[in-house]
Amino acid sequence: MPSLRIATWNSGGEAGGRGAQLLGAVNFANGTAPPVKLVAIQEAKVSLVPAGSIRAQLTSGAGPFVNFVVPPDHPRELNPPTQPLAVGKNKSYLIGWDPVGPGPVSAAAAARISLVPNAGPPANGVETYINGLPIGVPSKNALRLAARNIRAPVRKPFTLAAGGVACNIFFYTWHAELQANWLGATWATVGLLANPFNGPGMFPAFQFFQNSNQFMADMAALTVNDVIIIAGDLNITGADLGHPAIFPNFVATSNNLSHVLAFSPSGALAIAQGWHHVTPYPPHSIITAEVQW
């Protein structure tokens, strides 16, 4: 049975002892097999000089990170030249991985997926979703504006050898948008007279993600040997994940607003050893979890 143990954390930057906190959490997790092979950080430092404390750990070549690939992937959370109306924080992601042992082998650099609606023809998935909502044209245009300017998930594909089979891992990390950033106290902020959605957080952002061409293609490509994993600060709670329109059929482990979710057609799909590690840097804990499929 394939498995992958990961750690995820919205660290709120890399200052102070954040790197040491990550090191301690991973060392603790590695006290039981299997070891952590993938680390995803949200709100990492943008500048590489001097290196932040978390990046310094991931590139140290020592301890639990001895075989981690250097450099880690470091995409920005937003792209200001193409997102002039972005209002959320714009730090960076750090994605580090260990291909040894066996571990996940990188298939491509991490990159933001597109949530931009496109009328085509043919219309893409985000545009089809928005256009199908029972709301007026001004409201649809407001949602199109939001889709173009919110933080999009970052995708990084891996392969993992297990039992002589090459398994595909479609890995996503995401610092999801806060509803307050785009919608303020009322939905009228973006031209909606009332909340047309029955869902938590910035509910449309989750629908943009799930209806994006890339996510739908990954879902369609899955075999029993493959898995989709989503890790990050989704700005909704574990209870919110019970909403039937937010990643249905995914399994998850959660703490506060941070989560690890997974889906595979495999009947063995499970999340084991879902632990959270409290740090002196609230509000987010470090989550470590083993995804099995």
Side-chain angles (χ1 to χ4, degrees), residues 105-242:
V105 176
S106 175
R112 290 182 304 275
I113 67 169
S114 176
L115 302 182
V116 175
N118 186 333
N124 68 3
V126 177
E127 172 63 21
T128 300
Y129 164 73
I130 293 173
N131 202 42
L133 292 171
I135 56 178
V137 171
S139 297
K140 291 179 180 179
N141 287 337
L143 289 176
R144 292 182 179 106
L145 187 70
R148 293 187 185 99
N149 286 281
I150 63 172
R151 291 187 295 254
V154 161
R155 175 183 181 269
K156 185 171 179 64
F158 293 96
T159 58
L160 178 72
V165 175
C167 305
N168 293 304
I169 301 169
F170 302 114
F171 178 73
Y172 291 87
T173 186
W174 192 24
H175 181 196
E177 202 75 52
L178 280 166
Q179 175 176 314
N181 284 348
W182 266 97
L183 305 175
T186 71
W187 289 77
T189 313
V190 290
L192 297 171
L193 298 180
N195 181 357
F197 304 103
N198 180 22
M202 189 176 174
F203 185 76
F206 293 90
Q207 305 312 304
F208 300 157
F209 183 1
Q210 291 171 100
N211 285 279
S212 67
N213 281 13
Q214 183 64 72
F215 182 79
M216 290 194 295
D218 288 346
M219 287 289 287
L222 289 174
T223 73
V224 294
N225 299 314
D226 308 325
V227 68
I228 291 178
I229 300 173
I230 303 168
D233 171 11
L234 303 186
N235 274 309
I236 59 174
T237 67
D240 293 333
L241 287 177

Side-chain angles (χ1 to χ4, degrees), residues 55-84:
R55 184 183 181 89
Q57 288 290 347
L58 294 177
T59 60
S60 66
F65 308 117
V66 63
N67 293 315
F68 271 55
V69 170
V70 177
D73 284 3
H74 184 243
R76 291 290 293 273
E77 293 186 347
L78 288 163
N79 183 27
T82 62
Q83 295 181 291

